[in-house]
Amino acid sequence: MAFERACALSELSSDTPLRVELGEIDVAVVRHGEEVFAIEDECSHAAVALSEGDVEDCTIECWLHGSRFDLRTGEPTGLPATEPVPVYPVRIDGDDVLVD
């Protein structure tokens, strides 16, 4: 995959995930503090959209069962999930958020 535009930086509210479709992959784009992250928008435990969950302390929580994932690594930080979720490199170009 090559970097492609996911959204405008101005579309992102702090700690509010935005679901974006990039090709055949749904990605949750999250602005947390001064950083922007992109994580696959599907919980590894129950195939639920992570973009509908809450963000806190650089993690995103699955709204259904409470699994938490680190936005930087995709690693689960809270059960019941035990498998990581893919994360994608992000680059900012002006007001464009680009995801690889």
Side-chain angles (χ1 to χ4, degrees), residues 4-65:
E4 59 183 282
R5 186 182 186 281
C7 61
L9 186 60
S10 58
E11 290 179 70
L12 298 175
S13 298
S14 185
D15 295 334
T16 303
L18 176 67
R19 182 184 186 120
V20 180
E21 198 173 300
L22 295 176
E24 296 182 17
I25 300 171
D26 291 327
V27 176
V29 180
V30 180
R31 184 177 194 162
H32 180 70
E34 296 300 313
E35 297 182 89
V36 177
F37 301 96
I39 188 167
E40 190 166 304
D41 194 21
E42 185 174 294
C43 177
S44 62
H45 169 255
V48 173
L50 292 175
S51 60
E52 296 178 23
D54 294 323
V55 174
E56 183 179 308
D57 296 330
C58 213
T59 64
I60 190 167
E61 180 180 43
C62 176
W63 65 269
L64 186 59
H65 295 117

Side-chain angles (χ1 to χ4, degrees), residues 70-98:
D70 189 305
L71 289 169
R72 297 164 293 217
T73 65
E75 291 294 322
T77 62
L79 295 174
T82 59
E83 296 295 319
V85 175
V87 295
Y88 305 98
V90 174
R91 189 169 66 201
I92 307 300
D93 184 14
D95 189 45
D96 292 330
V97 177
L98 307 173

